């Protein structure tokens, strides 16, 4: 989707400008590309007045993928479903406390 996403954004400057304005100063290019893909894939489901909710969901997903954060089950199901098809370059793998405890038994 990366090349397709780049082509889509080149052809849709208004969407590209809106989405680019959502990038955090702290985000690396790798993190931003993945979160931008998440945002673009889900833009049609969120009107302009609900954009803050979509941005929050994208941050939940990004925090989960890149930092190993966990959230309640319902929220995780929602963001993982929304991220279906997003390609994450070199995503880290995190071992949870529960997984470590199972290994010790």
């Amino acid at each position: 989707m990366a090349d397709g996403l780049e082509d889509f954004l080149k052809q849709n400057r208004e969407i590209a400008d809106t989405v680019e304005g959502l990038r955090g100063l702290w985000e690396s290019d790798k993190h931003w590309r993945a979160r931008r893909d998440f945002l673009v894939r889900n833009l049609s489901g969120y009107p302009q007045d609900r954009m803050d909710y979509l941005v929050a969901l994208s941050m939940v997903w990004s925090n989960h993928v890149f930092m190993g954060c966990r959230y309640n089950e319902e929220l995780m199901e929602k963001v993982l479903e929304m991220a279906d098809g997003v390609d994450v370059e070199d995503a880290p793998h995190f071992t949870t406390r529960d997984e470590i405890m199972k290994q010790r038994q």
Side-chain angles (χ1 to χ4, degrees):
M1 171 79 179
D3 291 336
L5 177 60
E6 294 301 328
D7 290 342
F8 173 81
L9 291 174
K10 285 178 185 175
Q11 295 171 13
N12 296 277
R13 287 306 320 159
E14 186 175 335
I15 292 172
D17 292 343
T18 297
V19 172
E20 287 299 325
L22 300 173
R23 182 177 184 173
L25 296 173
W26 61 89
E27 288 181 287
S28 69
D29 289 340
K30 178 172 82 172
H31 291 192
W32 172 240
R33 280 191 302 273
R35 195 167 74 85
R36 180 183 64 181
D37 193 350
F38 180 100
L39 288 163
V40 170
R41 285 175 184 272
N42 293 286
L43 271 176
S44 63
Y46 292 86
Q48 188 66 32
D49 64 333
R50 300 269 300 158
M51 187 65 67
D52 57 338
Y53 187 63
L54 176 58
V55 171
L57 292 170
S58 74
M59 294 303 296
V60 165
W61 175 77
S62 180
N63 290 345
H64 169 70
V65 170
F66 294 109
M67 294 187 290
C69 297
R70 295 188 310 173
Y71 301 88
N72 73 56
E73 190 174 326
E74 184 179 332
L75 180 58
M76 288 304 303
E77 285 177 18
K78 180 175 184 69
V79 297
L80 292 175
E81 180 181 306
M82 292 172 73
D84 187 39
V86 174
D87 184 33
V88 179
E89 176 186 320
D90 300 323
H93 174 74
F94 298 95
T95 304
T96 66
R97 181 186 153 290
D98 294 341
E99 291 170 336
I100 292 170
M101 296 308 289
K102 283 181 185 178
Q103 290 173 357
R104 288 187 173 183
Q105 293 175 352

